[in-house]
Each structure stands twice: as structure tokens, then as C-alpha cells.
Amino acid sequence: MAFRLKSKSDYQEAYKASIENPENFWEEIASHYTWQKPWTKVFESDFEKPDVKWFLNAKLNITENCLDRHLKERGDKIALIWEPNNPKDAVKKYTYKQLHAEVCKFANVLKARGIKKGDRVCLYMPMIPELSFAVLACARIGAIHSVVFAGFSASSLADRINDASANTVITSDAMNRGAKKMDVKGIIDEALTKCTTVEHVIVVNHLNEKTNMQSGRDVWYHEAVAKVNENCPAESMDSEDMLFILYTSGSTGKPKGVVHTCGGYMVYAGYSFTNVFQCDENDIYWCTADIGWITGHTYIIYGPLLAGATTMMFEGIPTWPDAGRFWDVVDKHQVNIFYTAPTAIRSLMAKGLEFVEPYKLSSLKVLGTVGEPINVEAWEWYNEYIGKKNCPIVDTWWQTETGGIMITALAGISDLKASYAGQPMPGVQLALLDADGKEIEGDDVEGYLCIKHAWPSMIRTTYGDHERCKNVYFSNYNGYYFTGDGARREKDNMYRIIGRVDDVINVSGHRFGTAEIENAINEHDEVVESAVVGYPHDIKGQGIYAFVICNKEHSNDVETRKEILATVSEYIGKIAKPDKIQFVSGLPKTRSGKIMRRILRKVAEGDVSNLGDTTTLLDPSIVDELKEGVV
Ligand code: WT7
């Protein structure tokens, strides 16, 4: 079984082999990597507990596979390109040798502070090279990284630090975001007033901003790194030791820490990267995600480096200095493979072709999308104006919990169909279930998307709360991992993702629990109760619509609205601010007190002509009020 699939028949053979004999299949794929000690068993899987292990008792370090393994063959090849926020500033490039040295130095800075295997290290940083160094430095010494997207507020950050009881935070003085400069260290300082476990804060000096350094706790990275050398042996990790925690939202309560482990994650990240993007030795690959999300973990850092590719990270935003920035960067670096989110495509499409026309885009070979369903119109625009009808588009479906791409086309190999994610990757056994948990067979069917066999990079637990992992993913349907998405299957195993079927909304590819946003809104003094739903939004995919009950007649809705937005920014972050707020006197509840969200969704969509059966409502008159007040 070849590691790299090159044709339809390669794919079909691999898919078949992976289902008939997963042990043999994954054993062969895993043999592609450097292991310090081989496994004694390929996998063990029990979806009831859940208890899943891959490459049992094997020893490895993922950074040896990302870095050391390449030094002989491609030590002088560029591993990492950094494109700064401001196009006038200098680009930075690191060869595999240089990246290896940077990672070892960063690892030694951590070691010098006593940070060791198993410690949790929280990273809250802009998209600068040091973020990649820090991620890999943690992996190098066996510390568990927990990257928190720098758009989250101090309060969310504190929750995540506390949930993981991190003893170290890595950050920077400040960050750029287009024309704006934003505080970072100040947010850390605020968060840390609510955290007791953090002993070390390592601060990268990115923008020469003054910041308060707390003595004994805070250290400048540039001062610390001057005292270490670039030799750092890789810690020997068990295949099932934790590699990282990444927080993500679910339908209930606070975000949960999704746990990924070393061996299985490595194998799947590398295998999926190579095959989905069909990345060749001299290709320049650019994924525009932030490393604060799983896409950045698997497809900016680990996957490309495992493949020995050249990966680019971009500090800026798509619309600054103008809406042509992505395309300017593509031409500037001669990017061959470009991977972004539908929301970015839609927002650039809305700005008009004058921002695309000045650029050649002739280096592009492969385009990708991720994070949310892509509508046909955006797909066609991407295909025509960016790909010049000459680049396959891979629409990759996956999740924080799956660790890597699960449903996709393989670039240049698979058939493409706009708005269809495509076929399952080898090793991915999908099932569509009905409401009773029965598998729906055949083609042209829709159901709850589940996965019925373990795959190497699957979630192992939710940090500190295994029951939650079991309840959220493995209890809805016995013996299946439940994704939370609905999907449609057509002939040839072609899948189209319909969207979330739980109370999770996807706003610009960012995932939030409606309950999480409601909890934040409810922190406002005047708010008695709230209910949040998603509604179709032209650019963001889904917008956030909040129904809010306040405890006093407000003479000034405008002020209260502003304050509620500020409250959500404070408790979660600006990215979770509702797009629309409707003040109401009550919510449509059943006699048992359950909110009928179906009605709220219809109102939010502006589709109030047929709200279905409302007779079971405690107070059906509330429906008229809702209809009249649509925002
Ligand atoms: C949810 C996972 C892992 C990628 C970044 C988002 C939605 C993701 C697609 C796609 C339709 C998609 C799903 C999924 N989603 N990719 N290609 N087509 N929907 O990761 O934050 O863990 O969110 O994003 O609803 O469950 P995430």
C-alpha cells in the first residue's frame, strides 16, 4: 500500500483495504514514520467507554518526524515562510535546519524554567513564527500545548487556563490586526488575576510595546533564549501520551478541552495532508487559518511539516491594506496550494473583482475550503476567478474532534461537485443514522452523520472530564461516534454536509454553543433570560440572533444593546457578538418549560408565515409578539 495515493484506483484500493483490514492498512501507513520503539498492537477500540488507543506501546516524538527526519534530505529547504501583517515589512523564512534550531532553543527556554513532560502550557499569541516554534517546543519536551485563539477575551482565556491547570503561558507584548494594534499581554495579566496555577509567563517581544513584567513570573523570550543552546533531544513519548488540548464549543455549558495524543494524530495528520492536497516536493502551501483553531494545528504546522513541505503562516487579515491581500500574497510567494474558509471567499467575493483582477494567480494548482458548508455561488466564484477553472477545489469536512480531514476530494484525483465535501478518506467508516439510531443504507439518503470505526486521530477524551466526552459523542448512538452534523449521501459514497443538528452554530467558520452565548448575555444586569439561534447570513454562513428578556422597561434599547454586546465581548470575545438582538417579553416555551427553538429559528430567518404547530406552547400569544418584533 503506497503512502501517496495517485489515482482513483489507488484511492479505491486504499479505501477497501482500510475497511477490510484496518490493522494492516494503518500499520503500513504508520511505517512511513520514524518511531523510537515499534507498537505491540495497531489499535484497541471500545466506543462504549470510550477507550481508543492507537499504536500501543510505541514510542516517538512528533517533532523528530516534523524536523529531524528531514534534516539530511532537505535541511536547507524552506520549512516555514512568515508573511507579516504589513506587506511593507520583511518576510521571514526558516529552513528545516533553522526551524529545528529555533524549536530546540524554545524547548530549552521551557526546560530552563522547569517545564517538563505532561505540564500544560497555554499559548495565547498572534500569528508569528514564535507561535509555531512554541507549539513544536512543547511537543519536543512532551509538554501539552493548549493554544487559545487570540480573539478570545480574558475571561474565556482564564477558563481555559484553569480547566487545564496550565503552569505556563506563552504570549507576546501586542499584536497587529490589519490597521489596528491590539493588546495581548494586558489580556494575559487580566486573565491571570483569576488563575492560580500559572508560574511562568514567557513574553515574545513582537511590537516593542511596553508591558508590565511581573518579576518572578514574567520573562522576555529574547532574554531567555540568549542563555540557551540549540541542542534539545526529543522527549520519548508514548503513542497515547497527550500531545495537545484544544478547546471547542459544544451544545451545552463551557467549551471543552478536546484531547489528541501523539502517535495516532501524527499518522493521520501526515497521511491526510499528503493525500488531500497532493503536495509535491517544491510546492508552496498556504493555509490561511489561525493556529488557534484545529485547522492551524493540523494543516499549518503538523501535517505540512510531517510531509517535509513548505508551509506559510500569515499574520494579517484578508481585507487589509485592501481586499486583494490574499491574492497579492499568492503572487508574491508563488503559492501553489491555497486552503481557506468559505466565509473568507464570500467576503472577498462581495468586495468585487477589482481586487482580484490585478493579480496573476498563475502559481495556484490546488484550492481548498474548510469550516462550514460552501454554497454553490461561492464555490463557482472561487473556481472561476481564483482557480481560473484550472484548480481542483477540495471541500474538506472535519472537526476539532476528528483531528484531520475525514470527508473530501483528493486534489486532481477525485470527481468534484460544488457543495459536496466528497468521499470518506481511507480508514474513515461513515454511517448515516435515523432518529432511532438505525443505519440508513443506500444512496440519496439523509441522516445524522456518524463514524463507526476508530481512526488514528480521533478525540481520546475531554480534558479532566471523560464522562462528558462519552455523553457528547458516544452516547447518542451506541457504538458510533456522533459528529453533530446532518449529511446526505449520493451514489459513489458522495457526501454533502447539511449542517449542525445540535445547538451549535457556525459563524464565519467559528463554532459556538448557543448556550454559551446565552450565558454570556445573561451576565448583563438587566437580562432575565435569553435564547440564541443561528440564522442564514450571506457572508458569515450563520449569524447570531438573540432573543432577550430584560427586567425593566428600557427607554433606551440602543444603550442596552450596546451593553449586551460589550458583555458578550467580555465573557467570550468579540467574535461571539450577536448580529441581531430582539427584546421580547417572553420566550415560546412548552408547558414543561422547554424553549421551542424551532419557532425562534423561523422568526430569526424572517420566515414567519408558517411556524408549525404552536398549540403546545404555554402562552401561544407570545408568537405574535415575536413576529412583530423581528429585527
Ligand atoms: C464543524 C466543526 C475542522 C475544520 C474547522 C472547523 C463544520 C467543517 C466543513 C465542510 C461543511 C463543515 C461542521 C463541523 N464544517 N468543515 N467542509 N463543510 N461543514 O472545526 O470548529 O471543530 O467545527 O464545522 O459543522 O461539525 P470545528
Side-chain angles (χ1 to χ4, degrees):
M1 187 65 48
F3 186 85
R4 167 95 180 250
L5 306 166
K6 294 194 166 150
S7 64
K8 268 189 197 153
S9 62
D10 281 358
Y11 163 75
Q12 278 149 2
E13 235 170 81
Y15 182 72
K16 192 159 167 266
S18 75
I19 288 179
E20 284 171 3
N21 194 334
E23 278 93 350
N24 284 358
F25 175 79
W26 287 113
E27 183 147 57
E28 278 190 44
I29 300 300
S31 311
H32 185 76
Y33 292 99
T34 305
W35 301 80
Q36 296 165 357
K37 191 171 153 272
W39 48 90
T40 53
K41 199 174 177 193
V42 178
F43 70 88
E44 264 177 20
S45 162
D46 173 352
F47 273 21
E48 302 283 309
K49 286 193 174 100
D51 183 9
V52 174
K53 296 188 177 79
W54 280 86
F55 311 111
L56 285 79
N57 302 309
K59 298 276 185 272
L60 76 151
N61 188 292
I62 194 169
T63 69
E64 287 186 323
N65 284 281
C66 289
L67 302 168
D68 306 60
R69 191 166 57 101
H70 302 305
L71 294 182
K72 231 171 98 196
E73 232 181 283
R74 37 176 96 86
D76 295 318
K77 172 176 172 175
I78 302 296
L80 181 69
I81 303 176
W82 179 72
E83 168 68 23
N85 178 62
N86 188 331
K88 297 198 179 92
D89 289 346
V91 168
K92 290 181 183 168
K93 293 187 184 182
Y94 302 85
T95 64
Y96 271 92
K97 271 187 202 147
Q98 289 166 332
L99 182 59
H100 178 268
E102 293 294 346
V103 169
C104 288
K105 284 191 286 183
F106 212 124
N108 283 335
V109 166
L110 298 176
K111 269 170 125 176
R113 270 148 199 85
I115 297 148
K116 56 181 192 313
K117 180 172 175 176
D119 288 354
R120 275 80 58 214
V121 177
C122 175
L123 283 66
Y124 185 81
M125 295 172 78
M127 285 285 285
I128 54 177
E130 288 80 2
L131 171 54
S132 295
F133 306 161
V135 163
L136 292 162
C138 289
R140 188 80 176 171
I141 66 168
I144 300 163
H145 56 77
S146 165
V147 185
V148 177
F149 174 61
F152 282 114
S153 68
S155 165
S156 311
L157 173 62
D159 286 346
R160 286 158 171 78
I161 291 171
N162 289 333
D163 188 79
S165 46
N167 67 1
T168 303
V169 172
I170 304 174
T171 189
S172 69
D173 53 344
M175 69 189 272
N176 292 311
R177 210 181 143 67
K180 289 188 223 147
K181 198 186 261 185
M182 319 221 312
D183 192 13
V184 179
K185 176 60 167 40
I187 296 173
I188 295 288
D189 290 337
E190 193 190 330
L192 292 187
T193 60
K194 295 187 209 116
C195 304
T196 54
T197 53
V198 175
E199 295 161 32
H200 312 280
V201 178
I202 297 167
V203 189
V204 175
N205 178 14
H206 179 41
L207 299 176
N208 276 320
E209 288 294 306
K210 284 209 176 65
T211 175
N212 227 357
M213 297 294 279
Q214 185 176 313
S215 93
R217 187 193 76 178
D218 302 357
V219 50
W220 284 108
Y221 179 68
H222 62 275
E223 289 174 8
V225 78
K227 300 188 186 115
V228 298
N229 66 33
E230 50 185 62
N231 302 315
C232 178
E235 186 72 35
S236 183
M237 304 296 284
D238 187 272
S239 181
E240 283 300 329
D241 280 337
M242 286 186 203
L243 174 62
F244 65 84
I245 305 171
L246 185 58
Y247 285 84
T248 190
S249 299
S251 50
T252 53
K254 292 204 163 167
K256 48 192 176 285
V258 171
V259 170
H260 284 289
T261 58
C262 297
Y265 176 82
M266 172 178 82
V267 169
Y268 200 84
Y271 181 69
S272 56
F273 173 78
T274 296
N275 287 301
V276 172
F277 298 104
Q278 293 289 312
C279 187
D280 291 321
E281 187 64 44
N282 295 318
D283 284 347
I284 308 286
Y285 164 86
W286 179 22
C287 164
T288 69
D290 192 286
I291 290 171
W293 311 111
I294 190 71
T295 307
H297 283 58
T298 310
Y299 299 112
I300 295 179
I301 299 183
Y302 288 116
L305 295 178
L306 285 165
T310 299
T311 182
M312 182 157 74
M313 59 190 287
F314 173 45
E315 187 194 9
I317 57 172
T319 48
W320 190 81
D322 65 42
R325 185 66 191 280
F326 272 2
W327 322 128
D328 181 47
V329 175
V330 166
D331 276 5
K332 175 173 172 187
H333 295 281
Q334 292 292 293
V335 171
N336 306 109
I337 305 174
F338 178 74
Y339 189 32
T340 196
T343 190
I345 299 166
R346 286 191 298 262
S347 73
L348 297 179
M349 186 169 110
K351 303 274 181 194
L353 282 176
E354 66 263 37
F355 293 102
V356 182
E357 275 154 2
Y359 305 101
K360 284 206 177 75
L361 304 178
S362 54
S363 55
L364 290 173
K365 298 199 305 197
V366 172
L367 302 176
T369 72
V370 59
E372 42 175 331
I374 180 163
N375 47 311
V376 175
E377 200 192 351
W379 195 97
E380 281 172 352
W381 186 86
Y382 198 31
N383 184 36
E384 186 163 345
Y385 298 106
I386 307 306
K388 317 286 185 201
K389 295 191 177 161
N390 214 2
C391 302
I393 299 178
V394 293
D395 173 0
T396 62
W397 176 88
W398 57 299
Q399 310 179 296
T400 306
E401 295 86 346
T402 68
I405 295 167
M406 300 272 106
I407 308 180
T408 183
L410 306 180
I413 293 177
S414 317
D415 295 333
L416 303 173
K417 193 168 172 187
S419 84
Y420 284 68
Q423 296 167 306
M425 284 289 290
V428 176
Q429 298 193 29
L430 304 174
L432 295 178
L433 301 195
D434 66 18
D436 302 324
K438 253 188 61 209
E439 247 187 90
I440 308 170
E441 309 283 345
D443 299 335
D444 299 319
V445 291
E446 285 183 18
Y448 298 119
L449 181 63
C450 294
I451 306 176
K452 58 180 169 183
H453 189 282
W455 67 99
S457 62
M458 68 186 286
I459 179 175
R460 297 299 194 270
T461 188
T462 44
Y463 191 81
D465 190 353
H466 194 64
E467 268 310 291
R468 192 164 175 202
C469 175
K470 180 186 162 108
N471 290 337
V472 174
Y473 306 105
F474 297 92
S475 299
N476 296 52
Y477 306 109
N478 270 347
Y480 296 88
Y481 165 84
F482 175 48
T483 65
D485 282 313
R488 171 178 179 78
R489 181 176 54 228
E490 294 182 3
K491 81 168 188 340
D492 297 330
N493 237 358
M494 276 291 275
Y495 282 82
R496 174 173 211 249
I497 306 301
I498 297 164
R500 299 292 304 197
V501 293
D502 52 7
D503 290 320
V504 167
I505 51 181
N506 192 326
V507 185
S508 303
H510 301 154
R511 179 170 154 186
F512 297 103
T514 52
E516 183 187 4
I517 303 175
E518 288 160 8
N519 291 340
I521 295 174
N522 297 348
E523 291 288 337
H524 188 282
D525 286 346
E526 279 174 34
V527 174
V528 179
E529 196 180 358
S530 62
V532 165
V533 295
Y535 70 97
H537 187 290
D538 284 349
I539 306 281
K540 300 178 175 187
Q542 279 188 298
I544 304 173
Y545 197 116
F547 297 88
V548 179
I549 308 175
C550 285
N551 68 2
K552 62 175 182 230
E553 278 303 314
H554 25 262
S555 49
N556 190 351
D557 277 2
V558 178
E559 273 311 301
T560 312
R561 243 191 207 96
K562 267 197 209 148
E563 286 167 21
I564 289 174
L565 297 183
T567 308
V568 174
S569 303
E570 182 189 339
Y571 283 90
I572 305 178
K574 284 200 180 75
I575 48 176
K577 281 195 301 194
D579 298 275
K580 294 181 177 180
I581 296 175
Q582 179 177 353
F583 292 108
V584 292
S585 68
L587 293 167
K589 288 188 181 173
T590 61
R591 285 182 196 97
S592 58
K594 210 172 161 292
I595 298 173
M596 281 178 92
R597 285 179 186 271
R598 172 177 66 77
I599 294 178
L600 296 179
R601 278 189 215 110
K602 285 265 181 192
V603 172
E605 279 169 30
D607 175 16
V608 292
S609 55
N610 180 12
L611 293 180
D613 182 10
T614 55
T615 52
T616 57
L617 287 178
L618 187 62
D619 174 12
S621 73
I622 199 74
V623 172
D624 292 325
E625 184 198 321
L626 291 175
K627 283 189 198 171
E628 273 155 35
V630 177
V631 184

